[in-house]
Amino acid sequence: MTPQWFGRSAARRRGGADLVVVGAGVVGAASAYFASLAGLRVVVVERGAIAGGTSSAGEGNLLVSDKEAGPELDLALYSQRVWREDLAEHAALWEFEAKGGLVVAASEPSVAALRELGDHQRRHGVEVRDVAREELRDYEPHLSPELAGAAFYPQDAQVQPMLVVAHLLRLARGLGTEVRTGTEVTGFLRDGERVTGVRTTGGDIPAGAVLNAAGTWAGAVAGLAGVRVPVLPRRGFILVTQPMPPRTVRHKVYAAEYVGDVASSDAALQTSPVVEGTDSGTILIGASRERVGFDRTVSVEAISALAAKAIALFPMLREVRAMRTYLGFRPYCPDHLPVIGPDPRAPGLWHACGHEGAGIGLSTGTGKLVAQALTGRAPDLDLKPFAPDRFPDTEPDTEEVPQ
Amino acid sequence: MARTHDVAVVGAGPAGLAAAVEAAEAGLDVALVDGAAQPGGQYWRHYDERHARPDDRDGHHGWPVFTGLRERLRAERSAGRVRYLPGRQVYLVTRDEAGAFTLRTTASLGEPEADAAGEVTARTLILCTGGYDRQLPVPGWDLPGVMTAGGVQALLKGHRVLAGRRAVVAGTGPFLLPVATGLARAGASVEAVAEANGTLGWLRDPVGAASVPGKAVEAAQYAALMARHRIPYRTRTVVTRILGQDRVEAVRISRVDRDGRPAGPVKEIAADLVALGWGFTPSLELALMLGADTRKDVDGSLVVAVDGFQRSSVEGVYVAGEATGVGGAVLATQEGRLSALALARSLGRPAVPGRMGRLRAAIGRGRRFAAAMHRTYAVPSAWTEWLEERTLVCRCEEVSYGDLRRAHDDLGAHDPRTLKMLARPGMGWCQGRVCGFATAGIAACLNRRETTAEDLRPLSTRSLAAPVTLGELAALDRSRDAQDDQ
Ligand SMILES: Cc1cc2nc3c(=O)[nH]c(=O)nc-3n(C[C@H](O)[C@H](O)[C@H](O)COP(=O)(O)OP(=O)(O)OC[C@H]3O[C@@H](n4cnc5c(N)ncnc54)[C@H](O)[C@@H]3O)c2cc1C
Ligand SMILES: Cc1cc2nc3c(=O)[nH]c(=O)nc-3n(C[C@H](O)[C@H](O)[C@H](O)COP(=O)(O)OP(=O)(O)OC[C@H]3O[C@@H](n4cnc5c(N)ncnc54)[C@H](O)[C@@H]3O)c2cc1C
């Protein structure tokens, strides 16, 4: 899988692009930005509006706290650097806030488990501060007095994801990228095995390389090229409260069970409350996780459980009103790792998808790594764990494949 | 678990009252849920019935129709055929596998709680959720003393409160007249009614006045009242700016051309109350929650699409009144009745021959009349030209016209949904009820096209039809309690 040089490609000379990015979500936007920064001529093709997919249907947490050692934590830590260093000058544009995460535990045994996780994470570069029961209220004055302890993760941060997408695309446009919305990719241009561009509802676009950043729909896009990338939807609900006074909830606060839920493959409903304030004063309470395909009906069970568990953390929320709820479909792969890199089964086709519930946080690292690999440099992080062909070709999907 | 009703009617305005009474009289078991504390809706809004006064009916048209419906409602309630839940807002509707609907309700803000039963289940629904004032921003509209025309009237009718002493009533449509005359009768000096469109054209409209003769009488009455109170009526005139430091002190009015572009002399009028009325726009959250098809009506608002029997595209869901298109209380009442009769027939109740046919003919005439009115009193197409960079469009989130323009020009927000995500109009407490129509119009205008139903839909859709406490949400899922107890 040697990375290939596609800059100044033949396609570009023919009026096409060095790189076509399929999907204007956060991953597509970050990839387009870093690729154009690296000198590639990029065309982003999006069937709807910018940020119209999952990137506008979640929260904007950039988390290291919920990850155990492994390739995803490595990518999260790498992305942290990209957010804070490469993109430092733009941070205010997308309301970047290094607010830190507070993971709380309700009982002594779960405090013990939290400490063990903390020790393990520290060895892998995560900053963790143990918080004793007595200190809890210094961090969060409204927390329930019943809680037993917590761990504080100063690296956890927050952004407004839609603004990230819009501004990264704006910056990319300034570097020559073209963004075509309302344009759906319907097939691929091929030269034998090679992918040489895309067919779209707005005409063909020849390209040196095509990056599949179609999020939860990336499996269907891969299918158009005849390769299997098993990305499936995992539904999540979020509750939004009425605006509250500033700093009612100061950090992003969640319960220790959350880490277990994130890594779970269980199809049944799981709800661990994640409570956080936003710039506009609203408090976001997320997020449930369940595998129900692309069902958009409001689940009473899910929103009721979110509300109940948020109240258990912050009793004052009982009288606070929810103004709305929304839902999204996280793009997940069976092994809960994203798919990043060139696809040897269809040379010229690359993927950056399947980031599940962490795609906002992981997007910038992903985009930078993809740009490095696309321009023939050795990526800062080994992409092997994210290889597109790591899945068996025929494993039956547990659910209908998204369209 | 409470009983499953044959039908749940949401809204006790003209449409919902008629529907509930008619359905109960046809033998159906009815639940009637309404956000207001007493029946009547917007049109027959009146002071607390426990402290009624004879003059509460002044300015009310069709008051006997209302009291008749109210009597029949009382009779059906005491016969046990209607369960009436006033002062409760439906915030969520779900449907189970068997097709039954569950309505979850919360006490309306500021209304006394009458019935604490939070949940209603029913086999079918008649949604009569009415509408609310359609608003357009204009420089200064966020000053205290600026209100919607409907809000001014609601204060008068519902609370006997006069919102100011020197009033200017502006916008478009015949509704400006009852507001102006109501203010004058209550003792305010109405300095002007500024009507953006040409004339009282519907009086001359061959389809309009002829098809619904009662309307011509009503209009003549208002004209006489306007004359008696010496209220100046200025056509082709809009308020282009509202002036004042901490509250309204004056308005600037201007003559406009056919499209609403300022085209004539500008005049300043001192005032401490400005009532703005740009027509009404339906409450669609429940219908949209259920997935009902919608369309853009002649007046530019999004409405539920229904067939000739008030059936929406969703099986078992009927919609009547303002939610299917703004057309006035008489039409709303007729639609409410028809929906109940059609539903009763579909549930196997005997139908009185001829009744539905006559109702359908009357509704057809009413709709034609409403369309003629909408064409006469259209929102001027060039209204966005009254805006300045700093004019607030969304007051909850303090989003200005300039913010929207930048989100469009710099960030690529080309449709209302993306505008909302990037600039936050409609994200605040009112969830876009105030600024939704305007945001859709601005989005379309920035892209040099007309608004479409697709522009309006995301701004009319609300996942929760009313704000609800987290405590109430937490209590929803009783199965979880059962698990936790184990
Ligand atoms: C409830 C919830 C909470 C979340 N919270 C967080 C969080 O706190 N932190 C975090 O980091 N992540 C979070 N996530 C996950 C995050 O939102 C996703 O991982 C991320 O948005 C995925 O981005 P993407 O660019 O891959 O996909 P998307 O944003 O979905 O973009 C893919 C785009 O591809 C387009 N597309 C698809 N098919 C085609 C085609 N054929 N032609 C053209 N275009 C096409 C789609 O229209 C879409 O716009 C959450 C997700 C949910 C649902
Ligand atoms: C503020 C205002 C003032 C008006 N004044 C006049 C006038 O003076 N003269 C005139 O000719 N026309 C007037 N109109 C128009 C007139 O009110 C309508 O034509 C008529 O009332 C429509 O009847 P309806 O039954 O469709 O709806 P409405 O009368 O609006 O009744 C709808 C009812 O549904 C309830 N409701 C809505 N959503 C929910 C929910 N989710 N849960 C529970 N209950 C719900 C509301 O509380 C309300 O009681 C006015 C309209 C408004 C908005």
Side-chain angles (χ1 to χ4, degrees), chain A residues 88-111:
Chain A
E89 59 178 310
H90 308 301
L93 293 175
W94 39 70
E95 298 172 7
F96 179 95
E97 200 187 339
K99 53 163 51 173
L102 190 69
V103 184
V104 298
S107 64
E108 287 309 330
S110 82
V111 172

Side-chain angles (χ1 to χ4, degrees), chain B residues 268-409:
Chain B
E268 245 174 65
I269 303 179
D272 64 359
L273 171 64
V274 183
L276 298 175
W278 293 105
F280 303 103
T281 197
S283 301
L284 301 181
E285 25 298 88
L286 299 182
L288 286 168
M289 211 179 267
L290 289 160
D293 287 348
T294 49
R295 63 182 175 85
K296 182 181 155 189
D297 203 4
V298 184
D299 66 350
S301 280
L302 193 72
V303 301
V304 181
V306 290
D307 69 5
F309 295 97
Q310 306 301 132
R311 286 182 296 212
S312 76
S313 62
V314 180
E315 177 78 37
V317 178
Y318 292 67
V319 185
E322 226 76 307
T324 68
V326 174
V330 173
L331 182 60
T333 313
Q334 291 163 340
E335 291 187 0
R337 289 179 61 200
L338 176 64
S339 64
L341 295 177
L343 170 65
R345 190 184 61 179
S346 81
L347 295 178
R349 302 301 193 282
V352 181
R355 274 183 82 192
M356 276 209 271
R358 281 192 298 276
L359 266 177
R360 293 182 62 190
I363 289 169
R365 285 193 299 275
R367 282 278 158 229
R368 282 194 295 281
F369 176 74
M373 298 277 276
H374 292 328
R375 275 189 285 271
T376 306
Y377 296 108
V379 169
S381 57
W383 72 267
T384 56
E385 294 184 20
W386 314 334
L387 302 175
E388 293 167 3
E389 283 292 295
R390 288 166 47 208
T391 310
L392 287 188
V393 174
C394 169
R395 290 154 64 163
C396 303
E397 294 291 316
E398 301 190 345
V399 182
S400 70
Y401 177 59
D403 292 333
L404 294 182
R405 230 179 28 72
R406 279 186 293 279
H408 172 270
D409 296 351

Side-chain angles (χ1 to χ4, degrees), chain A residues 49-51 56 160 162-163 167 170 173 242 280 301 304-305 307-308 311 317-318 320-325, chain B residues 104 109 397 410-411 415 417-418 421-422 424 427-429 431 463-464 467-471 473-474 477 480:
Chain A
I50 61 165
S56 57
Q160 205 276 41
M162 292 82 88
L163 290 175
H167 281 286
R170 181 183 59 82
R173 279 200 305 270
Q242 68 190 81
S280 59
E301 296 74 30
S304 179
I311 292 169
L317 287 176
R318 181 176 295 281
V320 170
R321 284 179 188 264
M323 292 194 303
R324 63 192 175 98
T325 169
Chain B
R104 324 269 172 169
L109 289 175
E397 294 291 316
D410 305 342
L411 296 183
D415 60 289
R417 182 176 182 269
T418 313
M421 289 181 334
L422 296 178
R424 302 191 56 79
M427 288 283 208
W429 179 252
Q431 289 289 293
S463 47
L464 299 173
V468 54
T469 64
L470 292 170
L473 287 182
D477 188 2
R480 200 184 52 246

Side-chain angles (χ1 to χ4, degrees), chain A residues 10-293:
Chain A
R12 179 172 178 171
R13 285 195 302 274
R14 294 200 312 269
D18 297 325
L19 176 68
V20 161
V21 175
V22 186
V26 71
V27 174
S31 303
Y33 170 71
F34 282 105
S36 57
L37 202 60
L40 300 192
R41 187 180 180 283
V42 182
V43 176
V44 179
V45 183
E46 164 59 54
R47 66 178 173 193
I50 61 165
T54 312
S55 298
S56 57
E59 293 159 284
N61 299 310
L62 318 182
L63 298 190
V64 295
S65 54
D66 65 340
K67 295 176 181 63
E68 298 179 28
E72 199 193 350
L73 179 59
D74 297 341
L75 183 57
L77 288 168
Y78 178 72
S79 299
Q80 280 278 339
R81 289 209 301 278
V82 180
W83 284 108
R84 288 165 192 265
E85 291 163 22
D86 301 54
L87 298 171
E89 59 178 310
H90 308 301
L93 293 175
W94 39 70
E95 298 172 7
F96 179 95
E97 200 187 339
K99 53 163 51 173
L102 190 69
V103 184
V104 298
S107 64
E108 287 309 330
S110 82
V111 172
L114 201 55
R115 297 283 175 262
E116 203 174 307
L117 175 68
D119 289 341
H120 160 90
Q121 287 170 318
R122 264 185 214 106
R123 286 197 294 277
H124 293 88
V126 178
E127 293 171 41
V128 193
R129 228 179 279 157
D130 295 347
V131 178
R133 180 197 289 266
E134 313 75 66
E135 297 172 289
L136 277 174
R137 295 208 147 206
D138 301 336
Y139 281 85
E140 291 290 343
H142 298 290
L143 263 184
S144 162
E146 321 258 291
L147 296 164
F152 182 66
Y153 291 82
Q155 288 160 311
D156 284 358
Q158 182 174 312
V159 293
Q160 205 276 41
M162 292 82 88
L163 290 175
V164 172
V165 175
H167 281 286
L168 283 176
L169 288 175
R170 181 183 59 82
L171 293 167
R173 279 200 305 270
L175 296 164
T177 288
E178 191 192 329
V179 182
R180 295 192 199 168
T181 53
T183 307
E184 180 165 354
V185 169
T186 53
F188 287 92
L189 304 176
R190 302 299 279 259
D191 178 4
E193 284 284 275
R194 267 201 86 72
V195 165
T196 57
V198 290
R199 294 191 182 286
T200 79
T201 49
D204 294 352
I205 311 173
V210 176
L211 179 69
N212 173 15
T216 317
W217 302 272
V221 170
L224 295 174
V227 293
R228 178 170 179 274
V229 175
V231 182
L232 295 166
R234 194 176 186 194
R235 185 170 75 174
F237 282 96
I238 291 171
L239 284 169
V240 186
T241 71
Q242 68 190 81
M244 301 293 287
R247 292 178 57 74
T248 302
V249 174
R250 300 178 178 178
H251 308 94
K252 89 168 249 86
V253 180
Y254 62 88
E257 320 100 76
Y258 176 81
V259 182
D261 279 3
V262 170
S264 161
S265 294
D266 201 337
L269 173 67
Q270 294 155 336
T271 46
S272 332
V274 183
V275 183
E276 65 191 309
T278 66
D279 249 20
S280 59
T282 55
I283 291 175
L284 301 185
I285 301 167
S288 57
R289 295 166 186 271
E290 62 193 315
R291 289 186 359 219
V292 290

Side-chain angles (χ1 to χ4, degrees), chain B residues 27-28 50 52 87 90 122 166 235 254 263 287 298 303 323 407 445 452:
Chain B
L28 302 184
R50 291 165 302 180
V90 178
R166 294 179 67 140
T235 55
S254 169
V298 184
V303 301
C445 183
T452 62

